[in-house]
Amino acid sequence: MTAETTDVAEVGANTRKAGQYVYIAAVVLLCAWVIVPLYFLLINTLSSPEAVNSYPKPFIPEFDLGSLTFFANFAGILTALKNSILVAALTMVMSIAIGAPAGYALSRFEFRGKELFRLLILLTRAFPLPLLALPLAVMFIRVGIDDTIFGLALVHTTLAIPFAVLITFSLFSGIPIELEEAAWTLGCNRLTAFQKVILPLVLPGITASAIFAFVISWNEVFAAAVLTIENRTLTAFLLQNLDTSPLHLKFAGGFILVVPALIFIFAVRKYLFAMWGIANR
Amino acid sequence: MAVIEIKNVAKRFGDYQALHDINLTIDDQEFMVLLGASGCGKSTLLRIICGLETASEGEVWIGGKRVDHLPPKDRGISMVFQNYAVFPHLTVFENIGFGLRMQKLPNDQVKRRVERTAGLMHIDQLLKRYSGELSGGQRQRVAVARALAMEPDVILMDEPLSNLDALLRMEMRAELKGVLAESNTTAIYVTHDQVEAMSMADRISVMHEGKIVQAASPIEVYRDPAAEFVAGFIGNPPMNFLPATPAGAAGQWSVAGQTLHGPNAGKDLKFAIRPEDLTLADQGFQARAKVVEPLGAHLLVTCEVEGHQFRAILDSETQVRMGDTLTLAPQDGRGRWFDPATTLAVS
Ligand SMILES: Nc1ncnc2c1ncn2[C@@H]1O[C@H](COP(=O)(O)OP(=O)(O)OP(=O)(O)O)[C@@H](O)[C@H]1O
Ligand SMILES: [Mg+2]
């Protein structure tokens, strides 16, 4: 009897141990999957152009700014960088200006088709951009906003809005309606109650979703490549020069693209989890 | 001057009818308590008066003005919420001063009024804290102070003391009542604590399933319940009920083997008597003791009379053991009669 129980306990312990190994292995693998490419990117960016183009490659960065300097001096790159920032900033402003009120309405008002509306917001993400790109380009030319920062920002805003709506929806839902009601009874109307009570409480979250919109635009390449010619963003510019540019330029460009996105996403990760929590319901 | 008149108010949430045809007038400076079990519609009625909910039917008048269409801020009311609703991003001081700041009062006045109301609620030590750093009871007192600081014509309170311990509650109860009486405010106070209701109210409105069953002074609600529900709800423990059948002569009723004098009615009634209105006597109901609970001040005996549960409150010195048979006589003039068909009182 006792022997049997120890046996069972042992088997249990072994299974648990094996499970733990699998778990650790999976974690290591996943981390490597993400970190190793980033590490290579880092090494090659911080090495001299000669080292990047030689063989075998270095495994530790030389901390040589040669590649980055070359990148900075490459014709047109700074304009592209400026365009990227402008488009992303404009996207950020527009998607919050449109998305946050929608998120508020979704969380505070009951109306018919609310669930359907939420689903539709998500579904816009399922619509492939390549299908839209050509008609959009034609329309933009007709309206006269082709090859402009604003035109591209409009498209990026469409991409960012679902996230802006869902994140702000979950933010507003997390604030008890009674707080607003209390403000109403204390002399506020809807607008002042929003200003004095809701806004201070959601501001960190709104900032997060603005940053996320920025990153979406910053990373977007397809629409940028199709809809701009002169005013290319950094992604589109690098894509265009992919086969002609030297290796160290690609690495430096990739690095400049990845780093802000990584930092920003890391900063707002808490709010992204909140969004998925709500969106998966 | 703020008389509150509620005329034919009904409220439906989809198919569910939360309030049925409520009619109630609350006099200027009256302290009205809404008392009822959980889910009977107390908060809903309060929210309709406040303007946070719109009635499906009916009208609300405050101070001789119809206010149905007015937003909460234009009704001259302030409200204490059931779940406090203390603003988490503001200090206690700014919470209490929130409404005053909205009225654009000068700083020194805000400070004076905040400190005074905070003093009344015993939270003057906490003015610099944030709501996350307060206990439930402290938060509740901040909520009450915030409403009082507005010095409104009408104050609506949804269970404002529910989270305090018994002693503090008794103290705040008396204090709140004093403050309100002094400030000439009309108050509606929601609670499901009977002692609170009895001790504070000028009048009590007993609610049941979305209706007001009785609105009267505490002593009247206690002594002369208008309906069986009130009799079975008010009092701790509430009234005992026994079936009564006519015993020949008019006004004579046979109740559990006893002949009692009652109203003239041609059908069966129910006899009701409060546990504390029973005394041990030579002649009376034969009650078999089932549970004996010494409560210090008195003895609560749960018995059975002809299969009906029957409670009596006796002197704490009385010697009763489980299984004993007691002879309990109702005191003269304390018995009440109800019509089982309408559940209303008959006299
Ligand atoms: N927004 C709503 N939608 C649907 N039903 C509701 C809504 N608000 C309240 N109800 C229902 O109306 C009834 C009355 O609710 P109310 O909050 O007024 O009760 P209450 O008397 O305040 O109870 P408690 O003492 O528990 O606070 C309840 O059955 C509740 O489920
Ligand atoms: Mg309630």
Side-chain angles (χ1 to χ4, degrees):
Chain A
M1 179 66 205
T2 32
E4 219 168 79
T5 30
T6 41
D7 265 7
V8 171
E10 225 161 71
V11 170
N14 282 340
T15 331
R16 221 171 304 131
K17 224 178 215 169
Q20 230 164 32
Y21 285 138
V22 172
Y23 177 73
I24 291 171
V27 169
V28 169
L29 208 66
L30 269 177
C31 289
W33 174 271
V34 176
I35 289 171
V36 168
L38 284 177
Y39 183 65
F40 280 129
L41 198 59
L42 180 81
I43 295 173
N44 285 300
T45 308
L46 294 179
S47 301
S48 61
E50 295 75 44
V52 172
N53 289 312
S54 67
Y55 201 83
K57 307 257 176 228
F59 270 92
I60 348 169
E62 291 177 325
F63 296 107
D64 181 303
L65 296 181
S67 296
L68 281 173
T69 326
F70 179 83
F71 171 80
N73 292 329
F74 193 80
I77 227 111
L78 285 185
T79 332
L81 188 61
K82 190 192 79 190
N83 286 341
S84 263
I85 293 174
L86 278 179
V87 172
L90 205 54
T91 303
M92 182 168 94
V93 171
M94 288 198 292
S95 58
I96 290 304
I98 301 171
Y104 182 80
L106 274 176
S107 95
R108 285 294 190 254
F109 301 112
E110 286 303 323
F111 52 87
R112 277 177 59 170
K114 183 166 150 174
E115 290 302 311
L116 184 71
F117 183 67
R118 264 180 62 193
L119 190 66
L120 280 178
I121 289 174
L122 265 186
L123 279 183
T124 54
R125 293 296 315 196
F127 207 76
L129 194 57
L131 265 183
L132 274 178
L134 200 61
L136 262 183
V138 172
M139 200 171 79
F140 274 26
I141 290 171
R142 277 201 198 137
V143 181
I145 53 170
D146 58 305
D147 199 14
T148 60
I149 304 253
F150 176 70
L152 186 56
L154 265 187
V155 178
H156 286 179
T157 303
T158 345
L159 297 178
I161 273 184
F163 298 101
V165 173
L166 290 179
I167 295 179
T168 52
F169 165 70
S170 82
L171 284 175
F172 290 127
S173 302
I175 293 175
I177 179 90
E178 283 85 3
L179 288 185
E180 247 176 305
E181 292 177 339
W184 297 340
T185 64
L186 291 167
C188 289
N189 56 31
R190 252 188 200 273
L191 192 67
T192 48
F194 185 84
Q195 270 173 11
K196 296 212 178 285
V197 176
I198 305 303
L199 204 55
L201 291 172
V202 294
L203 210 54
I206 297 267
T207 314
S209 90
I211 288 175
F212 192 59
F214 187 95
V215 171
I216 285 180
S217 162
W218 178 265
N219 282 345
E220 203 282 326
V221 59
F222 190 86
V226 175
L227 295 175
T228 58
I229 300 159
E230 295 288 313
N231 293 313
R232 297 244 126 150
T233 60
L234 192 56
T235 46
F237 185 85
L238 288 176
L239 182 70
Q240 182 186 20
N241 298 312
L242 206 54
D243 37 350
T244 58
S245 59
L247 200 51
H248 49 278
L249 180 77
K250 292 181 200 162
F251 275 121
F255 186 74
I256 295 296
L257 275 175
V258 164
V259 165
L262 269 185
I263 292 175
F264 284 162
I265 294 292
F266 187 76
V268 303
R269 66 196 183 285
K270 186 176 117 198
Y271 295 97
L272 297 181
F273 290 139
M275 174 180 68
W276 296 129
I278 293 285
N280 288 344
R281 243 195 351 216
Chain B
M1 279 298 288
V3 178
I4 304 170
E5 290 160 281
I6 300 157
K7 299 179 181 169
N8 306 99
V9 163
K11 177 69 188 176
R12 281 178 292 275
F13 293 110
D15 290 338
Y16 180 75
Q17 180 122 19
L19 293 176
H20 304 260
D21 194 33
I22 303 277
N23 282 289
L24 192 63
T25 302
I26 298 146
D27 294 332
D28 185 37
Q29 300 179 30
E30 188 176 22
F31 196 111
M32 171 65 87
V33 169
L34 295 183
L35 180 65
S38 188
C40 68
K42 306 182 294 292
S43 296
T44 306
L45 182 56
L46 217 56
R47 291 169 57 83
I48 288 175
I49 299 171
C50 186
L52 297 171
E53 203 86 70
T54 39
S56 310
E57 278 164 38
E59 302 171 7
V60 179
W61 294 65
I62 297 178
K65 205 167 71 171
R66 185 163 176 193
V67 296
D68 302 22
H69 55 283
L70 293 180
K73 71 182 176 72
D74 299 329
R75 296 187 179 199
I77 44 169
S78 54
M79 171 137 172
V80 181
F81 287 79
Q82 192 164 7
N83 44 7
Y84 334 135
V86 173
F87 303 128
H89 61 298
L90 298 176
T91 59
V92 168
F93 183 98
E94 287 304 325
N95 259 287
I96 301 176
F98 188 91
L100 308 176
R101 294 238 190 264
M102 288 307 298
Q103 294 173 359
K104 305 231 170 2
L105 289 190
N107 269 332
D108 55 322
Q109 257 190 58
V110 172
K111 191 161 175 320
R112 224 184 39 242
R113 264 158 80 169
V114 168
E115 278 168 1
R116 199 174 62 90
T117 36
L120 290 174
M121 288 287 116
H122 303 304
I123 44 173
D124 28 3
Q125 307 302 317
L126 309 173
L127 288 176
K128 290 204 178 63
R129 300 236 200 131
Y130 286 92
S131 116
E133 305 163 342
L134 301 176
S135 74
Q138 289 168 335
R139 249 173 257 174
Q140 204 155 32
R141 279 178 282 160
V142 173
V144 176
R146 186 174 63 186
L148 286 178
M150 297 286 286
E151 297 179 2
D153 296 334
V154 176
I155 187 165
L156 308 174
M157 290 175 277
D158 202 344
E159 309 198 21
L161 305 181
S162 60
N163 243 341
L164 307 183
D165 60 64
L167 207 62
L168 187 56
R169 194 165 173 165
M170 206 150 78
E171 196 180 317
M172 302 293 312
R173 199 157 80 195
E175 217 141 306
L176 198 54
K177 174 135 201 212
V179 172
L180 289 175
E182 222 169 273
S183 64
N184 304 332
T185 313
T186 309
I188 305 184
Y189 187 104
V190 166
T191 180
H192 47 223
D193 180 333
Q194 293 179 29
V195 181
E196 211 166 281
M198 300 292 288
S199 72
M200 297 181 89
D202 293 329
R203 266 196 306 156
I204 297 180
S205 296
V206 182
M207 290 186 68
H208 178 49
E209 291 177 350
K211 298 189 186 84
I212 290 183
V213 191
Q214 185 173 16
S217 71
I219 201 68
E220 192 179 339
V221 167
Y222 190 79
R223 277 288 158 231
D224 295 306
E228 210 179 308
F229 171 78
V230 182
F233 183 72
I234 304 275
N236 187 19
M239 281 183 132
N240 297 305
F241 295 97
L242 289 172
T245 46
Q252 295 297 106
W253 296 86
S254 153
V255 181
Q258 297 297 300
T259 305
L260 299 175
H261 189 73
N264 286 316
K267 54 189 170 183
D268 287 0
L269 293 181
K270 266 189 190 171
F271 172 74
I273 182 82
R274 292 218 170 267
E276 63 268 33
D277 294 337
L278 291 164
T279 45
L280 287 173
D282 299 333
Q283 240 216 347
F285 305 124
Q286 296 302 301
R288 218 163 56 78
K290 296 180 74 180
V291 183
V292 181
E293 295 165 83
L295 298 179
H298 47 247
L299 193 71
L300 174 61
V301 189
T302 305
C303 330
E304 208 178 76
V305 173
E306 295 195 343
H308 300 278
Q309 179 166 289
F310 202 78
R311 292 200 188 88
I313 289 178
L314 303 175
D315 188 87
S316 56
E317 306 274 291
T318 321
Q319 297 297 319
V320 186
R321 275 195 322 246
M322 245 172 69
D324 287 357
T325 300
L326 309 174
T327 308
L328 297 169
Q331 280 181 41
D332 276 349
R334 289 289 167 86
R336 294 291 177 267
W337 305 83
F338 294 96
D339 181 346
T342 61
T343 79
L344 296 180
V346 184
S347 56

